[in-house]
Amino acid sequence: MKKLTLIAILISIAHIINAQEQMDKNKFILGGSINLHIQNNTYPLSSLSINSGIGGIFSNSTTDVKNTNFSFLPYFGKEINPQLTLAFQVDYRVGIYKANNTSVFGQSDPVNFERNSNQIGIGIFTRHTLNPYKQFSFYIQPYFEYNILNEEESLDSNIAQQEKASYLELGLGVGLLYNINDRMRVILRTGALNYVNGNWEILDTDTEKKFSSFGANINLSTIFLGFEIKV
């Protein structure tokens, strides 16, 4: 009887261990990445560097130009298997472009020009890891997002124009994973290809346009550093 009880206990322990191993293979993940990009003496296109042709008031800056962008992308998802992850993502970005003593179309004297931008987007992505069992892993990450962008332009601290855009973005990113341990990893990601399609308008006017673009976009503004944990 004791032997049967011991066998039953060992079988139960084996089932628990096996169940735990199965759970470990299908973990939920929680993560996020950030990007901070600061430029001096840059042309004043959209502060968030959207590849769409969104512009606004044309200015020809002469001195003291600064463009600052900050992006935060938190996400929550699930590892379907070691090679495939599916996740929901929020994309939040803010940008400030400042140009002092600049010439602006329609203004006879130089002015201080400022553009403040904020963007919120939601989307999904799949991550395809090519060598998941290595400490350093390479991956590709297709994604789909819907974004809303608001921009406000000021001349000498007076609001001159407000713009709004909404657009869909389909893209492909690439990156590296560094596995700290079984539950934590560091993530490096950059953009590779993206397609954008949406609408842009100047508020309180009749100006409204559609835009679209497709291209490669790999630079400092598209490099994100993040952290991920299995929960």
Side-chain angles (χ1 to χ4, degrees):
M1 188 67 176
K2 290 182 180 180
K3 289 184 179 180
L4 291 176
T5 303
L6 180 59
I7 292 172
I9 292 173
L10 292 175
I11 292 174
S12 299
I13 293 173
H15 278 296
I16 292 172
I17 293 173
N18 183 66
Q20 183 64 43
E21 290 177 349
Q22 292 300 318
M23 289 177 64
D24 288 343
K25 293 179 182 178
N26 296 279
K27 283 287 185 181
F28 287 99
I29 59 169
L30 180 65
S33 57
I34 61 172
N35 172 277
L36 177 62
H37 187 220
I38 299 174
Q39 287 180 293
N40 292 310
N41 300 321
T42 181
Y43 184 77
L45 294 176
S46 172
S47 296
L48 299 182
S49 302
I50 294 170
N51 189 20
S52 64
I54 297 175
I57 298 173
F58 175 78
S59 65
N60 182 20
S61 183
T62 56
T63 59
D64 298 330
V65 178
K66 189 174 184 179
N67 192 17
T68 303
N69 300 313
F70 174 76
S71 305
F72 176 49
L73 283 73
Y75 58 86
F76 177 76
K78 183 177 177 61
E79 285 190 343
I80 307 302
N81 57 52
Q83 291 81 25
L84 176 62
T85 298
L86 174 65
F88 169 81
Q89 177 173 276
V90 177
D91 187 342
Y92 177 69
R93 309 185 183 217
V94 293
I96 301 174
Y97 176 91
K98 292 183 178 182
N100 295 327
N101 190 32
T102 185
S103 299
V104 176
F105 179 77
Q107 300 290 318
S108 58
D109 298 318
V111 297
N112 294 330
F113 174 85
E114 181 174 336
R115 175 186 286 120
N116 292 289
S117 307
N118 66 83
Q119 174 185 296
I120 185 72
I122 56 173
I124 58 173
F125 68 80
T126 59
R127 181 195 299 153
H128 304 265
T129 307
L130 302 186
N131 51 341
Y133 300 107
K134 302 291 186 179
Q135 189 168 23
F136 278 99
S137 302
F138 176 78
Y139 69 89
I140 58 174
Q141 186 167 297
Y143 67 90
F144 177 79
E145 280 188 5
Y146 174 75
N147 298 280
I148 296 176
L149 166 69
N150 292 282
E151 292 192 339
E152 183 179 272
E153 297 172 345
S154 300
L155 304 178
D156 288 334
S157 300
N158 297 312
I159 297 175
Q161 185 169 289
Q162 292 178 302
E163 304 166 14
K164 183 177 181 180
S166 58
Y167 63 96
L168 297 174
E169 182 175 1
L170 180 65
L172 176 69
V174 297
L176 291 172
L177 302 173
Y178 175 72
N179 296 293
I180 300 173
N181 53 45
D182 291 339
R183 294 187 178 276
M184 295 183 290
R185 58 174 50 145
V186 176
I187 296 176
L188 182 69
R189 180 178 69 84
T190 186
L193 299 172
N194 76 325
Y195 171 74
V196 168
N197 189 294
N199 294 285
W200 165 71
E201 65 175 314
I202 301 176
L203 299 183
D204 301 321
T205 71
D206 294 329
T207 301
E208 183 174 355
K209 295 182 179 180
K210 294 183 178 180
F211 62 86
S212 65
S213 67
F214 174 77
N217 192 18
I218 300 178
N219 53 51
L220 290 177
S221 67
T222 64
I223 296 176
F224 287 80
L225 180 64
F227 182 79
E228 182 177 292
I229 186 170
K230 295 181 181 180
V231 295

